Amino acid sequence: MKPVSTVSSVGKNVRLRRILKDGKAVILAMDHGIEHGPKDFIEPHLDPNVIIDKVAKAGVDAIMLPRGLARLTWESWANRIPLIVKVTGKTSLRPKERQYTQNLIATVEDAVALGAEAVAATVYWGAPEEEQMLEQFTEIAAACEVYGMPLLNLAYPRGPHMPNQNDVEIVRYAARAAAEVGADLIKTYWTGSEETFREVVKATPVPVLMSGGAKTEEPRQFLEVTKQVMRAGGKGVVVGRNVFQRENATEMVKAIMKIVHEDASVDEAMKLLK
Ligand code: FBP
């Protein structure tokens, strides 16, 4: 029997194809102004329009922004980069013990109103406040079904009792759980090796992208991790600091794209940074 497409599933697929044109993607994450504060941005990139323009020139596949930033920068990304609206967030100003949760900071309707191609929401899997984030995620997923809006889960295992959030067993559990609650795409932690990341990819039927992490000392180190992610079956990276904390952000995105989309070697990609 031919599978029946619902109107909503068509909408999700149409939007997903605008982001993952060849099934893979390099996405710029820029929600750090709320999550970490302005200290995360080097001087020329404190103006979000500057960095958006730089990554647009590199042809980045999508950009993930909170609602307010998307509104303020729309002339920089519109018709140039597909938008993903991050609908949950928190600040690092909170007391440490209250940092294991994410609050709703936008709705799926806001994302529709902004012309977005997807929404993103974090769950700190295993956190004491997982219950609240799960209910929140379920409501977001339900709204995404109504609007045909793809949903990216920032699947971050985290909690005061969790000594190693990059442990493969914990990361693959989070990646699997994300799929089980309705994520269409997953952004999760690097587990330290190609072999272990392959276990993460295998554990979930949903495309897995690696979450960038803190800026590596040398660009090459980040490119090497990206190469291993792709070899492990990952579908790309969602990267923030490793791009916007470097002056040559355009070239850095081009180098990452070369590995993700053209299966280039790290040496080949490095030539774009020379
Ligand atoms: P990076 O590539 O800079 O790590 O960005 C990915 C990201 O998930 C952001 O979307 C988010 O603001 C930040 O990392 C979360 O950082 P933390 O691990 O400190 O919560």
Side-chain angles (χ1 to χ4, degrees), residues 29 31-32 35-36 64 86 90 124 154 156 158 165 187 189 211-214 238-242 244:
D31 55 329
H32 303 64
E35 296 276 336
H36 296 165
M64 184 183 82
K86 179 146 181 276
K90 68 149 177 59
Y124 295 139
L154 288 81
Y156 291 174
R158 190 175 295 195
Q165 59 194 30
K187 163 185 192 300
Y189 296 141
S211 186
V238 186
V239 49
R241 288 165 286 181
N242 270 291
F244 62 64

Coordinates of all heavy atoms in Angstrom, one line a residue, residues 29 31-32 35-36 64 86 90 124 154 156 158 165 187 189 211-214 238-242 244, ligand 1:
A29 N 24.7 28.1 15.1 CA 23.9 28.4 16.3 C 24.3 29.7 16.9 O 25.5 30.0 17.0 CB 24.2 27.3 17.3
D31 N 22.5 31.4 19.8 CA 21.6 31.7 20.9 C 22.4 32.0 22.1 O 21.9 32.1 23.3 CB 20.7 30.5 21.2 CG 21.4 29.2 21.4 OD1 22.5 29.1 20.8 OD2 21.0 28.4 22.2
H32 N 23.7 32.3 21.9 CA 24.6 32.4 23.0 C 24.4 33.7 23.8 O 24.8 33.8 25.0 CB 26.1 32.3 22.5 CG 26.4 31.0 21.8 ND1 25.7 30.7 20.6 CD2 27.2 30.0 22.1 CE1 26.2 29.5 20.2 NE2 27.1 29.1 21.1
E35 N 22.1 32.4 26.3 CA 22.6 31.2 27.1 C 23.9 31.6 27.9 O 24.0 31.1 29.0 CB 22.9 30.1 26.1 CG 21.6 29.5 25.4 CD 20.8 28.5 26.2 OE1 21.4 27.9 27.1 OE2 19.6 28.4 26.0
H36 N 24.8 32.4 27.3 CA 26.1 32.6 27.9 C 26.3 34.1 28.1 O 27.2 34.5 28.9 CB 27.2 32.1 27.0 CG 27.2 30.6 26.9 ND1 28.0 30.0 25.9 CD2 26.6 29.6 27.5 CE1 27.8 28.7 26.0 NE2 26.9 28.4 26.9
M64 N 20.3 29.3 13.5 CA 19.4 29.0 14.6 C 19.5 30.3 15.6 O 20.5 30.5 16.2 CB 19.8 27.8 15.4 CG 18.9 27.4 16.5 SD 19.4 26.0 17.4 CE 20.6 26.7 18.5
K86 N 14.9 29.1 17.9 CA 15.1 28.4 19.1 C 14.0 28.8 20.1 O 14.0 30.0 20.5 CB 16.5 28.6 19.7 CG 16.7 27.8 21.0 CD 18.1 27.3 21.1 CE 18.3 26.5 22.4 NZ 18.6 27.4 23.5
K90 N 17.6 29.7 28.5 CA 17.9 30.1 29.9 C 19.1 31.0 29.9 O 19.8 31.0 28.9 CB 18.1 28.9 30.8 CG 19.4 28.2 30.5 CD 20.0 27.5 31.7 CE 21.2 26.7 31.5 NZ 22.3 27.5 30.9
Y124 N 17.3 18.9 28.6 CA 18.5 18.4 29.4 C 18.0 17.0 29.9 O 17.4 16.9 31.0 CB 18.8 19.3 30.5 CG 19.3 20.7 30.1 CD1 18.9 21.8 30.8 CD2 20.2 20.8 29.1 CE1 19.3 23.1 30.5 CE2 20.6 22.1 28.7 CZ 20.2 23.2 29.4 OH 20.6 24.5 29.1
L154 N 17.7 19.8 20.8 CA 19.1 19.9 21.4 C 19.1 18.9 22.5 O 18.5 19.2 23.6 CB 19.4 21.3 21.9 CG 19.6 22.4 20.8 CD1 18.3 22.9 20.3 CD2 20.4 23.6 21.4
Y156 N 20.6 17.2 25.1 CA 21.8 17.4 26.0 C 21.6 16.6 27.3 O 20.8 17.1 28.2 CB 22.0 18.9 26.3 CG 22.4 19.8 25.2 CD1 22.5 21.1 25.3 CD2 22.7 19.2 23.9 CE1 22.9 22.0 24.3 CE2 23.2 20.0 22.9 CZ 23.2 21.4 23.1 OH 23.6 22.2 22.0
R158 N 22.3 16.0 30.9 CA 22.9 17.0 31.9 C 22.2 16.9 33.2 O 21.0 16.7 33.3 CB 22.7 18.4 31.3 CG 23.5 19.4 32.0 CD 23.4 20.8 31.4 NE 24.0 20.8 30.0 CZ 24.2 22.0 29.4 NH1 23.9 23.1 29.9 NH2 24.8 21.9 28.2
Q165 N 28.9 14.0 30.7 CA 27.7 14.1 29.8 C 28.1 13.8 28.4 O 27.2 13.7 27.5 CB 27.2 15.6 29.9 CG 28.1 16.6 29.5 CD 27.6 18.0 29.9 OE1 26.9 18.2 30.9 NE2 28.0 19.0 29.2
K187 N 20.5 17.4 17.7 CA 21.8 18.1 17.9 C 22.3 17.6 19.2 O 21.7 17.8 20.2 CB 21.6 19.6 17.9 CG 22.7 20.5 18.4 CD 22.2 21.9 18.4 CE 23.2 23.0 18.6 NZ 23.9 23.0 19.8
Y189 N 25.9 16.0 21.8 CA 27.3 16.1 22.1 C 28.2 15.1 21.4 O 27.8 14.0 21.1 CB 27.5 15.9 23.6 CG 26.9 16.9 24.5 CD1 26.3 16.4 25.7 CD2 26.9 18.2 24.2 CE1 25.7 17.3 26.6 CE2 26.3 19.1 25.1 CZ 25.7 18.7 26.3 OH 25.1 19.6 27.1
S211 N 26.8 18.9 18.1 CA 26.8 20.2 18.7 C 28.3 20.7 18.9 O 29.1 20.0 19.5 CB 26.2 20.1 20.1 OG 26.0 21.4 20.7
G212 N 28.5 21.9 18.4 CA 29.9 22.4 18.2 C 30.8 22.3 19.5 O 31.9 21.7 19.5
G213 N 30.4 23.0 20.5 CA 31.2 23.0 21.8 C 32.1 24.2 21.8 O 32.2 25.0 20.8
A214 N 32.9 24.3 22.8 CA 33.8 25.5 23.0 C 34.8 25.5 21.9 O 35.2 24.5 21.3 CB 34.5 25.3 24.3
V238 N 26.0 21.5 14.1 CA 25.4 22.8 14.5 C 26.4 23.5 15.4 O 26.7 23.1 16.5 CB 24.1 22.6 15.3 CG1 23.4 24.0 15.6 CG2 23.1 21.6 14.6
V239 N 27.0 24.6 14.8 CA 28.2 25.1 15.4 C 28.0 26.6 15.7 O 27.5 27.4 14.9 CB 29.4 24.8 14.5 CG1 29.1 25.2 13.1 CG2 30.7 25.5 15.0
G240 N 28.5 27.1 16.9 CA 28.5 28.5 17.2 C 29.9 29.0 17.4 O 30.5 29.6 16.5
R241 N 30.4 28.8 18.6 CA 31.7 29.4 19.0 C 32.8 29.1 18.1 O 33.7 29.9 17.9 CB 32.0 29.0 20.5 CG 31.1 29.7 21.5 CD 31.2 29.0 22.8 NE 30.5 27.7 22.8 CZ 30.4 26.9 23.9 NH1 31.0 27.3 25.1 NH2 29.7 25.8 23.8
N242 N 32.9 27.9 17.5 CA 34.0 27.6 16.6 C 33.9 28.3 15.3 O 34.9 28.3 14.5 CB 34.0 26.0 16.4 CG 34.9 25.4 17.4 OD1 36.1 25.5 17.4 ND2 34.3 24.7 18.3
F244 N 31.9 31.8 15.3 CA 31.9 33.3 15.5 C 32.9 33.8 16.5 O 33.1 35.0 16.7 CB 30.5 33.8 15.9 CG 29.9 33.2 17.1 CD1 30.4 33.4 18.3 CD2 28.7 32.4 17.0 CE1 29.9 32.9 19.5 CE2 28.1 31.9 18.2 CZ 28.7 32.1 19.4
Ligands
FBP1 P1 28.5 26.0 20.4 O1 28.8 25.4 19.0 O2 29.1 27.3 20.6 O3 28.8 25.0 21.5 O4 26.9 26.2 20.4 C1 26.0 25.2 20.6 C2 25.1 25.5 21.8 O5 24.2 24.4 22.0 C3 24.3 26.7 21.6 O6 23.2 26.5 20.9 C4 24.1 27.1 23.1 O7 23.9 28.4 23.3 C5 25.3 26.6 23.8 O8 25.9 25.6 22.9 C6 24.9 25.9 25.0 O9 26.1 25.8 25.8 P2 26.1 25.2 27.2 O10 26.7 23.8 26.9 O11 27.0 26.0 28.0 O12 24.8 25.1 27.8

